[in-house]
Amino acid sequence: MLKKTLFTSCLLILFLTSCSSYQYKQYEATIDKGNTPILDLSQDGDAASVIYFNSVTYRTMGIAFHRLLLATGLNGKVLKGAGRHALLDVNGYQAIKVPAGIHTLDYCWVSMNALGSGGAKCNFKAKDVLFEPGKNYLVNWQSSSSIKGAPGGSEHQINIKTFISDFDTGEVVYPK
C-alpha cells in the first residue's frame, strides 16, 4: 500500500510540475523592451545602444522549458557575477546598454526545465560588431537537435547558431 501511495504521489508531483510554467532563476520568460532589466555599461551616454538577449518558454511532452541567452562579457571583460558556476548554475544579463561603436560580446545559451534538469553552453562570442547610436539589438539563436549513436549508448546533441539583428527591423547585422 505504501509503495502504491508513494508512486501515486510521485506521479501527481510530476504532473503538477510539468503543467506549471517555468522560469530559470529570476530571468524574464520573454524579452520585453519596456520591462526587461538593463545593465547600463554606457556611463549614461546619449549615443548608446541596447542589446537584448532572447528568452523563450515553451512546453514539450508536458514539460515546461526555459531557453535563454545571457550576456557574460563585453570586450574581453567578464560582467559582474556572470558566467557558468556549475552545470545547472549560469548567471548573466538579458539586456545591456553599451556606448555606440564596435564591441565584442560573450554569452551563454541556457536550457532548463521544470523537472530541474537542463544544461548550458557558454563561450559564444560575437566579435567586432558595430552597434549604432540609439538602436536596439536582439541576440538570438537557432537550434537543431539530433540523436547520435546506437540505442542504449546514444546521446542527444543540440546544435546552436547565434546571430544579432536590429530589434525593430529584424535585419541581421551579425554575422554578415
Side-chain angles (χ1 to χ4, degrees):
M1 180 68 177
L2 179 61
K3 286 182 181 179
K4 185 176 182 178
T5 303
L6 183 59
F7 178 75
T8 304
S9 297
C10 288
L11 281 178
L12 181 60
I13 290 169
L14 180 63
F15 176 76
L16 291 175
T17 301
S18 66
C19 290
S20 67
S21 61
Y22 174 73
Q23 284 179 243
Y24 178 62
K25 295 186 177 183
Q26 77 281 5
Y27 298 112
E28 301 287 321
T30 56
I31 296 301
D32 179 354
K33 267 195 330 189
N35 294 320
T36 300
I38 299 170
L39 174 65
D40 191 347
L41 302 170
S42 71
Q43 292 90 30
D44 288 325
D46 290 334
S49 304
V50 178
I51 306 163
Y52 294 91
F53 293 78
N54 208 5
S55 177
V56 297
T57 55
Y58 67 95
R59 185 176 308 283
T60 185
M61 298 185 339
I63 301 170
F65 283 82
H66 188 189
R67 287 191 173 163
L68 63 158
L69 293 171
L70 294 172
T72 58
L74 179 68
N75 300 325
K77 295 181 182 173
V78 176
L79 300 176
K80 183 178 180 180
R84 185 180 199 149
H85 304 289
L87 182 64
L88 300 177
D89 184 15
V90 180
N91 294 315
Y93 298 89
Q94 289 184 286
I96 58 175
K97 185 176 181 181
V98 301
I102 296 174
H103 298 286
T104 296
L105 305 173
D106 294 296
Y107 46 97
C108 294
W109 178 85
V110 180
S111 177
M112 299 295 175
N113 65 55
L115 299 177
S117 61
K121 182 176 181 180
C122 291
N123 301 319
F124 284 99
K125 187 177 293 279
K127 294 179 78 169
D128 301 326
V129 182
L130 175 62
F131 295 101
E132 295 181 31
K135 286 200 170 187
N136 297 302
Y137 296 90
L138 180 66
V139 183
N140 208 342
W141 77 90
Q142 292 177 331
S143 62
S144 62
S145 61
S146 61
I147 306 286
K148 301 282 185 188
S154 62
E155 68 178 40
H156 182 213
Q157 292 183 337
I158 299 176
N159 298 306
I160 302 132
K161 291 183 180 182
T162 65
F163 58 95
I164 302 172
S165 59
D166 181 300
F167 198 102
D168 300 311
T169 67
E171 177 187 353
V172 174
V173 297
Y174 181 87
K176 285 243 173 194

